[in-house]
Amino acid sequence: ARAAAALLVLLGSCGAALADSPQDQAEQFFRSGHTNNWAVLVCTSRFWFNYRHVANTLSVYRSVKRLGIPDSHIVLMLADDMACNPRNPKPATVFSHKNMELNVYGDDVEVDYRSYEVTVENFLRVLTGRIPPSTPRSKRLLSDDRSNILIYMTGHGGNGFLKFQDSEEITNVELADAFEQMWQKRRYNELLFIIDTCQGASMYERFYSPNIMALASSQVGEDSLSHQPDLGIGVHLMDRYTFYVLEFLEEIHPASQTNMNDLFQVCPKSLCVSTPGHRTDLFQRDPQRVLITDFFGSVRKVEITTETLSLDRDVAGLESKFPEEELATEPLKYAEQLPVAQIIHQKPKQKDWHPPGGFILGLWALIIMVFFKTYGIKHMKHVF
Amino acid sequence: MAAPLVLVVLAAVTVRAALYRSSLAVFIAERVEVASPLNAWKRVVEGLALLDLGVSPYSGAIFHETPLIIYLFHFLIEYAELVFVITDVLTAVALYLAIQDFNKVVFKKQKLLIELDKYAPDVAELIQTPMEMHYIPLKVALFYLLNPYTVMSCVAKSTCAINNSVIAFFILATIKGSAFLSAVFLALATYQSLYPLTLFAPALLYLLQRQFIPIKLKSKSFWLYTMQYASLYLCSLVVIICLSFFLLNSWDFIPSVYGFILSVPDLTPNIGLFWYFFAEMFEHFSLFFVCVFQINVFFYTIPLAIKLKEHPVFFMFVQLAIISVFKSYPTLGDVALYMAFLPVWSHLYRFLRNIFILSCVLIFCSFLFPVLWHLWIYAGSANSNFYYAITLTFNIGQILLISDYFYAFLRREYYLTHGLHLTRQDGTEAMLVLK
């Protein structure tokens, strides 16, 4: 059986265009540790003049859906309804390019959190999974430790915060803590965080959990600018950074081998006016080896073979021969994914603190002294 | 007199036990009127839990109880309900014994003044007789135990009950005449919550009266006794504070307890006057206004001492009422303590002018507190102004109560010495006015 498996590898390598060694082939196959993809797309601004934020989110939604992530794995949060806004001269459409070239609203948009449901609390609950039991499945992020999650946020932001709905803010510290909660609850394998707001880089400054890669449209102290207005609709349709990201993503298809380094080059300062930034120090793999479709698409690694393989114990022993990209997660059972398991098995703590002996002695000595001072020493005869 | 007292105690214990077992216990425990940041039971439990985890309970801004309470509840936390019921019963018994003794003192003094011919001839109806004074101690115990405020405070397990108990023992010790015990209990009461410091003056006046030392500023014996009492008080206070240091080996409790009481950082709504003002005040004024508000409690001691130096127990009652109106985190338990004394001055009833209005105000406000809280916090259709309005009205009612009793007391004293039918210089009927 070992020989059969080795043959399999050689077959694969023969089919490769380049003369890849079995190591490279195996590396290619086990490149990413994820088995499913999720996307959380958030637009945090309301009002008609923030049309572009909704268009940003919807264009990312469209790309992500086109590349294979189904609606059941996308949590789309739009803070306002632009398509059916009374000020929209073209109802049921949201355009991203002027002259109404591209309608990102489409026919099958599924918005999970709409209008006033887009709040900081709901966003954090979606991320951490602490949702009331009555929440429908479409509003939950049911990721596990093999999920790659794309989180895209857009709206108005500042140094260290992102404004939600003109009434509250989420800070970079809260976001970092939410991601750490996700990490500790094994809710993601890898996370790609993209933010398109003013001073967006401040939002990823505080991340400290592993396996997070972050992109932002502007550095601290810079504003992200909008792209082009459409004179017919009367508002700016997209932000520059997301516009160029959308154009970049339009050329990706599910089999693309484009990697993250190309995404980092999108929208240079000449086009974007602001300087996009990225952060990869928390990410364990080399961005060169991370495919765009690892996050934006739902691509399954499939190797088609005409050979029959027998799945007995030897095969299991063989699989460990191929070097796996060892990520920092150990395989966990589902029940252990939640910390409840630890709590159930905890024994009640014994009381550890006792008042110091000197204190007790002093206190009771005082009380006895007061007692005898008041009632006289003669009572001592009766006590003993 | 023991049997009716036992009956009253049994009734009170039954009421409290019934309420503990009912579902109202949880509801009452959360009410801000009975549980303030200083004496809420949740905070005691939190502090003890922190201690079990090895952290000083004073490290956060949660726990503001003194170390002696930590010691007390460390061993008794499983029997907390029993502790609070027993505390209430002890308070009532202490008040009962104190008022019994006080009645004897009053009666003796009255007899002395009659024999000395200090009273006007036509005031026979104003003189208190032993018959009517016979049931006053029982009424005092009844008023304390079955007062809805006390019952709610006990069910909420607020440590205000312990404060009340210490003050009641202090009053008992003072009226019995033991300067040492009175100083010790006053030190304990001051150590628990800072404000009983103002009760030093009435206690001193009472003890001086009992020793027949005249209150003249030039008299040597007066100063000697004052120094003795003050030094007893201060020494016991210092000893108790030093002892508390040895519980946790740190002085953390001083800023946490006394700093908290004086600087009022926590602005949870309560039935007091501080929270609303400080919620809307600018930072740079807050120190000034904190000083102004705190001085208000201590300020009335000297004028009242000058006016009421012959009547120290009434002074103590007025002082207790002033403390419970003007302290930084009052609760209904404090109100219940001074209301227990009202039967002692039931002979003033004919002179009270506003008794109907103020009792209506107090009852209505007590009912409106939870209503407006619900409207503000849960329904969202009211705001803090509504709740503060009721707080203000309640406190105005209390102040009206104090001033009414004060007026009635002074009026009675005046009538006793000058006769019931006052005439002006030209012979027409005169009316006493409190200026």
Side-chain angles (χ1 to χ4, degrees), chain B residues 149 356-372 390 393-394:
Chain B
Y149 295 158
F356 177 66
I357 285 203
L358 65 93
S359 53
C360 282
V361 163
L362 289 176
I363 293 178
F364 284 161
C365 288
S366 313
F367 281 116
L368 279 176
F369 271 124
V371 169
L372 285 166
I390 297 299
T393 321
F394 187 73

Side-chain angles (χ1 to χ4, degrees), chain A residues 349-356 358-360 362-364 366 369-371 373-375, chain B residues 51-53 67-68 70-71 74-75 77-78 178 180-181 184 239 243-244 246-248:
Chain A
K349 266 184 92 98
Q350 301 296 323
K351 276 211 181 123
D352 293 321
W353 179 79
H354 291 284
F359 174 81
I360 302 183
L363 184 68
W364 287 102
L366 275 175
M369 268 181 3
V370 167
F371 177 74
K373 175 76 172 52
T374 333
Y375 292 105
Chain B
L51 210 46
D52 281 337
L53 289 172
L68 282 182
I70 297 181
Y71 177 65
H74 180 253
F75 295 106
I77 194 160
E78 285 105 38
S178 155
F180 175 63
L181 266 185
V184 166
V239 163
L243 192 65
S244 322
F246 288 111
L247 185 76
L248 290 170

Side-chain angles (χ1 to χ4, degrees), chain B residues 154-328:
Chain B
C154 180
V155 171
K157 291 195 274 220
S158 137
T159 56
C160 188
I162 297 180
N163 290 5
N164 285 358
S165 164
V166 176
I167 295 178
F169 277 113
F170 154 70
I171 295 177
L172 176 64
T174 314
I175 294 187
K176 289 265 187 196
S178 155
F180 175 63
L181 266 185
S182 145
V184 166
F185 278 115
L186 186 62
L188 256 180
T190 314
Y191 165 77
Q192 275 291 111
S193 69
L194 202 54
Y195 297 103
L197 178 65
T198 54
L199 293 173
F200 179 82
L204 180 65
L205 286 171
Y206 184 85
L207 289 166
L208 283 171
Q209 241 188 25
R210 219 181 141 88
Q211 306 281 69
F212 302 113
I213 299 176
I215 304 168
K216 293 192 204 323
L217 279 178
K218 297 209 190 356
S219 146
K220 222 170 65 140
S221 51
F222 165 71
W223 284 112
L224 192 65
Y225 196 82
T226 312
M227 283 296 119
Q228 277 179 336
Y229 188 64
S231 62
L232 271 173
Y233 169 64
L234 285 170
C235 282
S236 18
L237 192 60
V238 164
V239 163
I240 293 175
I241 290 186
C242 289
L243 192 65
S244 322
F245 169 76
F246 288 111
L247 185 76
L248 290 170
N249 274 323
S250 73
W251 293 108
D252 276 348
F253 71 97
I254 292 187
S256 264
V257 180
Y258 305 114
F260 183 79
I261 294 178
L262 287 175
S263 66
V264 194
D266 187 324
L267 297 174
T268 322
N270 47 51
I271 61 173
L273 304 162
F274 280 65
W275 58 277
Y276 187 80
F277 269 96
F278 289 99
E280 58 178 22
M281 193 171 289
F282 290 120
E283 279 295 320
H284 40 277
F285 288 130
S286 65
L287 180 62
F288 170 67
F289 277 102
V290 154
C291 294
V292 167
F293 274 69
Q294 297 287 5
I295 284 175
N296 223 346
V297 185
F298 299 98
F299 187 65
Y300 298 100
T301 313
I302 309 277
L304 280 175
I306 297 173
K307 187 74 191 169
L308 289 175
K309 60 176 182 265
E310 313 289 325
H311 315 287
V313 179
F314 186 72
F315 180 18
M316 219 180 283
F317 163 72
V318 173
Q319 193 62 261
L320 274 175
I322 287 176
I323 290 176
S324 80
V325 170
F326 291 110
K327 72 190 277 202
S328 45

